[in-house]
Structure formats: structure tokens, C-alpha cells
Amino acid sequence: SGLAIFSALVGGYLGRGGFEAHVVAMAPMIGAATIALHAEVGAAFVTSTTTPHYVWGLREICAVARSMCDAVAELHGTRQRLARFWLHEVSRVYSDRLATESDAAHFADIARRVTRAHFEELDQTELLRAPLLYGRLPPLPVRGELARSAACSMVSTELRRTATRRRAKGADSLAAYVELRDTCRTRDRLEAWLRAVHPRPT
């Protein structure tokens, strides 16, 4: 079945990625939540003359499974964090294709309902906390120690440690998603990074 395939793919990745067994065991739960949400989205958002792109199929379920394989144990290694990462990824796969604000709000209601139903043992306040924002931080600049130092300051201690581990394994050190909890602070850090990479002439 689709659930079995999804669970095998995601569970296999989590198991190889250093996640603890109780987190790996979430794979069937995540699969069931994805399929339930997919069914509700298909029923709620149908094709019309203004929304011909509202076509939902295996492509979207595969996209969610592929996105879950971007999870990193150091960043998403608890059940709470992995469920929140899943919520972000399904929002990107489905909500980003919706045409109106009202449709996006309706999707948010569906996502909250499915999340509560399938992850009921988790802290719902933390799981559904806004903003729900993840990003891939840019690679560190290599021009000069001062530039590297300024750029490094924008990366959290946790992410720097993860980058070191991933670099040692030959992986793209900053390819992992990190949750951006403070949007103002993230903006300030990105501006600092840009100043480091493109210093103003003196």
C-alpha cells in the first residue's frame, strides 16, 4: 500500500540517518498523517477555471516523503521536532500552490486538525506555534577571516556543530533546514552575512 511504501522509505532514511529508534518509529504515523491530509486537500480544493492546477496525486505524497529525507538528526532528532518539520514540509508542498488567502487559511485549518489527530501525544502548543518557518542558510564565505567571522556569527551553535559533522561526512555542510524562530534576528543575521560577502567600499 501507499502507507507501507511511504513508511519504508522515510523509516529507512531515518534509521540510516542516526535518528533514535523511538523517532524512527514515527514513520508510519507521519505516513498516515500525510495520506489523511492529502485526502482532505483533494476533497477541499478541486480544479476549476480559475484553479486548473489544483490536481493532487502521488507526486505530492512523494514530495513530502522526499522532503522528510532532508531531516537531520542533530536538528530534527526528537519526535516533537520531526513532527513540526513534517508540518512545515506539507505546508510547502500543498499550501504554496493555493491561489487565494482563503484557500490558504482553509488548508491551515485542515493541517491543524490532521496534526492534532495524528500527533496527539505531542505538545500541540509548541507543534502549531507560529511562525512556521525553516530555511537553508547560505554557505559561509571564504574571502578573508573577517568575512568568515561575520558570517559565522549568523549561524546558531547547534547548526555550526551540525555543519561540522556533515562536512566531516562529505555532505553539504549547510544544506539542512534549520528552524528560523526569530524572524527579526534572522533578518539581521542575513544582512550581516551580506555585508560580509559584499562589503561597502570605504
Side-chain angles (χ1 to χ4, degrees), residues 163-173:
T164 300
R165 295 189 188 100
R166 289 172 65 80
R167 191 180 298 113
K169 296 177 181 178
D172 184 356
S173 62

Side-chain angles (χ1 to χ4, degrees), residues 114-164:
V114 170
T115 298
R116 292 191 181 102
H118 289 269
F119 304 104
E120 57 185 349
E121 84 283 5
L122 301 180
D123 181 344
Q124 296 296 312
T125 300
E126 172 62 19
L127 187 54
L128 299 171
R129 171 180 50 79
L132 182 61
L133 182 64
Y134 286 71
R136 296 182 189 273
L137 294 177
L140 303 181
V142 294
R143 277 183 279 164
E145 292 300 322
L146 180 61
R148 278 203 297 276
S149 175
C152 282
S153 68
M154 71 169 285
V155 186
S156 69
T157 300
E158 182 179 35
L159 186 59
R160 285 202 300 273
R161 290 172 180 167
T162 300
T164 300

Side-chain angles (χ1 to χ4, degrees), residues 1 11 16 71 81 101 110 126 151 166 182:
S1 67
R16 293 188 302 272
R81 287 185 177 187
E101 291 185 5
I110 293 172
E126 172 62 19
R166 289 172 65 80
D182 186 330

Side-chain angles (χ1 to χ4, degrees), residues 18-121:
F19 287 81
E20 296 183 6
H22 72 282
V23 179
V24 176
M26 289 184 69
M29 185 186 308
I30 291 171
T34 301
I35 291 172
L37 183 139
H38 181 86
E40 291 210 34
V41 167
F45 306 110
V46 297
T47 57
S48 69
T49 55
T50 58
T51 58
H53 62 292
Y54 280 13
V55 178
W56 317 101
L58 287 176
R59 177 183 60 183
E60 284 70 40
I61 295 176
C62 290
V64 175
R66 184 170 59 248
S67 295
M68 295 308 299
C69 293
D70 282 334
V72 177
E74 292 89 345
L75 299 175
H76 317 110
T78 69
R79 292 170 71 88
Q80 188 81 33
R81 287 185 177 187
L82 190 62
R84 186 164 168 80
F85 182 70
W86 168 84
L87 183 57
H88 175 268
E89 295 309 298
V90 295
S91 297
R92 300 289 65 79
V93 169
Y94 293 96
S95 185
D96 283 2
R97 291 179 58 196
L98 299 178
T100 66
E101 291 185 5
S102 62
D103 281 356
H106 189 186
F107 172 84
D109 289 339
I110 293 172
R112 281 191 292 267
R113 183 168 62 253
V114 170
T115 298
R116 292 191 181 102
H118 289 269
F119 304 104
E120 57 185 349
E121 84 283 5

